[in-house]
């Protein structure tokens, strides 16, 4: 559920201009807003990385107690000074006319060659609210991981994705060793750690 406004919290958009348009878009916003001590702030500008809405899904086999993680090169991780390949969950951007659930199912096939049977919504998040407009709807998806694995992705999008089904205990070990630093993956795996017994009982 989106954040609920507290009494008196109001923001006014005075101007929006596109500062850069390439593969992504950077926009400059001019704001003023209410102050907790009363009155209004002065006018101020912020640049916002406009990314759109995404959907992500952690594929989980409750019978084999396995999750499916993917690994691919990431330019943002490289720019952050980290090793640019990281463990993630399946994710993709929501196109016009699509629902988050449809994107989760589509991306599971495109990125991991796996069919999602059932979806459980976990969270709807703003990933970096100070600088980016991207939101992400995170799901848990029931799958059969028996034959999952290999290298997948769309050649038209230059995707080279390593797909791996692993025991949930192994994924938790990767978390404990700080080897998973993708926020959606951490959130989904931590959710599953808290609710795993309930999920396995309902999905068997």
């Amino acid at each position: 559920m989106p954040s609920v406004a507290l009494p008196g919290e109001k923001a006014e958009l005075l101007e929006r201009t596109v500062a850069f348009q390439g593969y992504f878009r950077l926009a400059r916003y001019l704001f003023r807003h209410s102050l907790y001590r009363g009155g209004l702030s002065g006018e101020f500008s912020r640049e916002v990385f406009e990314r759109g809405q995404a959907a992500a899904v952690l594929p989980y086999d409750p019978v084999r107690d396995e999750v499916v993680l993917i690994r691919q090169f990431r330019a943002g991780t490289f720019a952050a000074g980290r090793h640019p390949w990281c463990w993630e969950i399946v994710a993709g951007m929501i196109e016009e006319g699509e629902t988050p659930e449809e994107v989760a199912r589509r991306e599971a096939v495109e990125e991991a060659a796996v069919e999602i049977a059932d979806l459980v919504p976990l969270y709807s998040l703003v990933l970096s609210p100070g600088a980016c407009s991207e939101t992400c709807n995170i799901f848990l998806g029931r799958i059969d991981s028996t034959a999952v694995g290999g290298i997948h992705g769309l050649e038209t999008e230059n995707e080279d994705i390593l797909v791996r089904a692993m025991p949930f205990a192994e994924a938790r070990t990767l978390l404990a060793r700080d080897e998973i630093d993708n926020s959606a993956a951490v959130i989904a795996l931590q959710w599953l750690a808290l609710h795993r017994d309930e999920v396995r009982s309902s999905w068997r």
Side-chain angles (χ1 to χ4, degrees), residues 22 41 53 75 138 144 181 189:
S41 71
Q53 295 184 319
I138 304 176
D144 177 358
D181 59 2
L189 287 167

Side-chain angles (χ1 to χ4, degrees), residues 109-155:
V109 173
E110 292 179 3
E111 294 190 342
V114 63
E115 296 280 350
I116 301 291
D118 298 303
L119 281 171
V120 174
L122 307 186
Y123 299 103
S124 178
L125 306 170
V126 182
L127 296 179
S128 184
C132 184
S133 67
E134 181 178 2
T135 63
C136 187
N137 295 271
I138 304 176
F139 299 90
L140 183 74
R142 181 167 67 88
I143 63 160
D144 177 358
S145 64
T146 304
V148 175
I151 301 171
H152 300 285
L154 298 179
E155 290 186 13

Side-chain angles (χ1 to χ4, degrees), residues 22-88:
Y23 185 73
F24 297 117
R25 180 170 60 242
L26 185 71
R28 182 173 292 111
Y29 287 75
L30 184 64
F31 295 110
R32 66 178 164 221
H33 62 72
S34 58
L35 299 172
Y36 288 120
R37 62 177 178 267
L40 290 174
S41 71
E43 297 179 6
F44 63 96
S45 66
R46 291 291 185 270
E47 287 74 38
V48 176
F49 180 54
E50 296 187 339
R51 178 88 164 97
Q53 295 184 319
V57 58
L58 172 62
Y60 177 60
D61 184 331
V63 176
R64 299 168 65 91
D65 196 24
E66 290 185 340
V67 296
V68 173
L69 298 181
I70 64 175
R71 193 172 176 89
Q72 60 187 316
F73 175 84
R74 290 305 202 188
T77 311
F78 178 91
R82 295 170 175 253
H83 182 65
W85 280 266
C86 52
W87 290 113
E88 303 177 336

